[in-house]
Amino acid sequence: DAGVTQSPTHLIKTRGQQVTLRCSPKSGHDTVSWYQQALGQGPQFIFQYYEEEERQRGNFPDRFSGHQFPNYSSELNVNALLLGDSALYLCASSLILNEQFFGPGTRLTVL
Amino acid sequence: AQSVAQPEDQVKVAEGNPLTVKCTYSVSGNPYLFWYVQYPNRGLQFLLKYITGDNLVKGSYGFEAEFNKSQTSFHLKKPSALVSDSALYFCAVRDGNYGQNFVFGPGTRLSVLP
């Protein structure tokens, strides 16, 4: 059983560009959450998707948007990239009330 | 709003000694508490959780944690540390009465010395 997978592993972009990160949840999970982990910090909640809708959102600007597909996979889009968006982006999948399982992350570097 | 504090940035213990990584939390509803471990350049791995029931929770790799409601704490423990336990440890809380997002602490770097 594959766990949570994310692509790409690493990504380098320049300021002002747009980026799309992808996540496939663990088999049987229907909820996907996205987190941003800056260097030396704990993960910060971006938003969560369930039944193809954004259910909760953290304190992130509208430049951060997402989508969930009928197969429960998800995308995170970030527009107008800033240097401060450089971080490890983690995807986590879960069922309600249970622990979240994390993918290996996508390392985004904005130059 | 939920919050998590991990008062120690770093914990160092000798191999074979017991270890404790501290966590305190604040949540308005019922606390759902979790511990995760992160190795370099990797995602987070689940160790254990407290939802309800016994205050002492046993998890993966010999780790356990004790839920203390009066002190709003959920400290991670292991009776005998291994060098391979050296990693970054995160405590997380979720409000059981509302929502699903986890709030993570800042992390504690555990170093087990041979």
Side-chain angles (χ1 to χ4, degrees):
Chain A
D1 172 30
V4 180
T5 59
Q6 292 185 243
S7 63
T9 305
H10 295 88
L11 205 51
I12 299 175
K13 292 285 187 179
T14 58
R15 282 178 295 175
Q17 285 189 311
Q18 178 265 343
V19 68
T20 297
L21 311 182
R22 296 176 175 81
C23 171
S24 292
K26 184 177 171 63
S27 177
H29 286 182
D30 57 8
T31 302
V32 173
S33 302
W34 286 92
Y35 293 82
Q36 180 194 67
Q37 186 180 18
L39 201 61
Q41 297 183 20
Q44 300 292 314
F45 174 71
I46 302 175
F47 43 54
Q48 182 184 81
Y49 277 84
Y50 173 69
E51 293 187 336
E52 302 180 49
E53 290 188 13
E54 182 182 296
R55 298 291 178 168
Q56 279 193 293
R57 189 179 184 91
N59 189 25
F60 279 81
D62 292 343
R63 298 187 297 109
F64 289 77
S65 63
H67 188 76
Q68 186 179 35
F69 299 94
N71 67 353
Y72 306 120
S73 67
S74 177
E75 288 182 349
L76 164 65
N77 300 293
V78 187
N79 294 324
L81 284 167
L82 304 174
L83 294 179
D85 295 332
S86 295
L88 180 67
Y89 287 85
L90 297 166
C91 169
S93 72
S94 64
L95 291 171
I96 290 177
L97 299 184
N98 286 339
E99 66 274 16
Q100 296 186 344
F101 288 83
F102 284 80
T106 294
R107 174 73 61 187
L108 172 64
T109 301
V110 182
L111 302 177
Chain B
Q2 307 120 264
S3 67
V4 175
Q6 293 180 243
E8 300 159 316
D9 293 337
Q10 188 169 1
V11 170
K12 293 183 179 180
V13 298
E15 187 175 29
N17 283 0
L19 70 87
T20 298
V21 183
K22 296 180 180 178
C23 170
T24 59
Y25 66 90
S26 174
V27 65
S28 55
N30 292 325
Y32 289 11
L33 296 155
F34 305 81
W35 275 102
Y36 286 83
V37 60
Q38 187 176 35
Y39 295 96
N41 300 313
R42 303 287 294 277
L44 277 67
Q45 296 179 28
F46 170 74
L47 283 179
L48 50 79
K49 66 181 177 182
Y50 172 84
I51 304 296
T52 187
D54 288 341
N55 290 341
L56 185 63
V57 178
K58 294 188 182 297
S60 306
Y61 313 118
F63 283 94
E64 58 189 28
E66 186 168 10
F67 171 65
N68 187 316
K69 187 174 183 178
S70 63
Q71 297 185 5
T72 61
S73 67
F74 189 56
H75 300 332
L76 181 70
K77 300 180 180 183
K78 188 173 182 181
S80 179
L82 301 173
V83 172
S84 57
D85 293 330
S86 299
L88 195 53
Y89 290 80
F90 291 99
C91 180
V93 67
R94 185 192 145 227
D95 188 330
N97 292 354
Y98 174 75
Q100 278 215 69
N101 64 297
F102 285 30
V103 173
F104 283 84
T108 297
R109 184 164 300 283
L110 173 67
S111 297
V112 181
L113 309 174

